[in-house]
Amino acid sequence: MSLKLGLALGGGGARGLAHLGVLIALEDAGIPVSMIAGTSMGAVMGAAKSIGADLPMIARVLESVDLNDMLQVTDSTVREVQKIVGRSMVEYVRGSTWKEEDSKPHDLLRLRELFRLLTAGRSFSDAEIPYAAVAANLETGERVVLQEGLLCDAVVASTSVPGVFSPVACDGQFLIDGGVVDKLPVDVVIDMGADAVIAIDAGAPLDREISTCLDTLLQTQRVTSHQLTALQLEVAAKRLHGNLIVIKPDVGWIRMFAFEHTQAAIQAGKDAVTARLDDIHALVDRDKE
């Protein structure tokens, strides 16, 4: 009996659009996928794949629109930090609207509309491939695995980058980007029944230039994330008896919100799969003991 192949798609912001290229390349190569778990941008692309969406068409659409304008984020980390500081000062004086009961923050409405279009307004129950989106509980730090309701609502929670987008109120919890606790959700897809996993890591590299205090702060977060992910992958590899392939598309040069590089990110995902296709076929064709 062949192994059940799962996909674990990580975050990465604009870098995470490489997941779309990966999914297109896997489809072109006829690689069967039994289940998908995604975090942040990986949750977006995984949701589209799970409902059998036309991925090449989605790629053409995303390459033709200005995602920075649509999401009202800039391609500059410094400017985003400045916006966060300004917004926090306003919320300190006026209070945080996202904490109000039944609140619908404007920034989340923009996200939801985009993701509703990408997932055709479908629910988890409509998925052709079992799928899970990963978020984090802001107040407890616990991982939250979402597998019910509308796909777009789960994806909004999984992509709510702290400070950039408002936390998402859900069942008495405030949810944020799942990458805070589980950047590469291999463990989740194993829990869904995968015997073998392909994990796509489009995270930020550690070899960034560090010249300011802000760079130092961001590097500290990256180091923590890398260490946590390395430990999680070590545990996951043991659970899978080594049936794990980690693919890292060449997108480290793309900044988190540099969506002007959408086409390059998608192509990098395709290239990364092509380079590992022999390994992928060997994994898929391996018999389950």
Side-chain angles (χ1 to χ4, degrees), residues 6-249:
L7 296 182
L9 308 178
R15 294 184 299 273
L17 289 168
H19 296 306
L20 182 53
V22 166
L23 294 171
I24 292 172
L26 291 175
E27 282 190 357
D28 290 345
I31 303 299
V33 175
S34 298
M35 60 279 295
I36 304 169
T39 292
S40 199
M41 188 59 78
V44 181
M45 299 307 152
K49 168 68 176 176
S50 75
I51 61 170
D54 185 334
L55 300 180
M57 183 190 72
I58 289 177
R60 291 192 294 272
V61 170
L62 294 180
E63 290 169 357
S64 66
V65 300
D66 187 339
L67 286 173
N68 288 106
D69 181 64
M70 184 178 296
L71 299 177
Q72 294 186 18
V73 295
T74 71
D75 61 356
S76 167
T77 303
V78 173
R79 285 197 292 272
E80 283 305 310
V81 170
Q82 290 172 338
K83 286 168 58 178
I84 292 169
V85 172
R87 177 178 177 178
S88 296
M89 292 177 65
V90 171
E91 290 182 335
Y92 180 77
V93 175
R94 299 180 180 177
S96 301
T97 57
W98 52 266
K99 280 195 167 184
E100 297 173 1
E101 188 175 354
D102 298 325
S103 67
K104 295 181 178 180
H106 181 65
D107 57 337
L108 296 184
L109 293 178
R110 295 196 307 272
L111 275 182
R112 188 179 188 278
E113 182 59 22
L114 173 61
F115 299 151
R116 187 187 67 80
L117 292 172
L118 294 179
T119 59
R122 303 283 185 84
S123 299
F124 279 90
S125 58
D126 299 317
E128 299 174 7
I129 301 172
Y131 165 77
V134 178
N137 185 314
L138 174 62
E139 295 172 311
T140 67
E142 294 178 308
R143 183 185 68 191
V144 179
V145 180
L146 302 169
Q147 293 181 284
E148 296 181 347
L150 289 173
L151 289 168
C152 61
D153 289 336
V155 172
V156 168
S158 183
T159 56
S160 293
V161 179
V164 179
F165 299 110
S166 301
V168 175
C170 177
D171 297 330
Q173 305 175 88
F174 290 111
L175 304 182
I176 58 173
D177 191 313
V180 172
V181 293
D182 203 352
K183 188 181 73 172
L184 202 56
V186 179
D187 48 351
V188 176
V189 83
I190 295 173
D191 291 342
M192 294 171 71
D195 303 307
V197 176
I198 298 175
I200 311 300
D201 185 356
L206 293 180
D207 59 345
R208 290 289 184 87
E209 180 181 354
I210 302 173
S211 56
T212 68
C213 288
L214 176 58
D215 293 332
T216 302
L217 178 62
L218 294 174
Q219 179 73 353
T220 301
Q221 187 277 329
R222 286 191 289 265
V223 168
T224 301
S225 178
H226 274 253
Q227 294 295 326
L228 176 60
T229 301
L231 290 172
Q232 291 170 335
L233 285 175
E234 183 179 346
V235 172
K238 290 179 181 178
R239 293 181 65 189
L240 290 166
H241 306 289
N243 294 318
L244 171 65
I245 293 177
V246 179
I247 296 177
K248 297 184 178 183

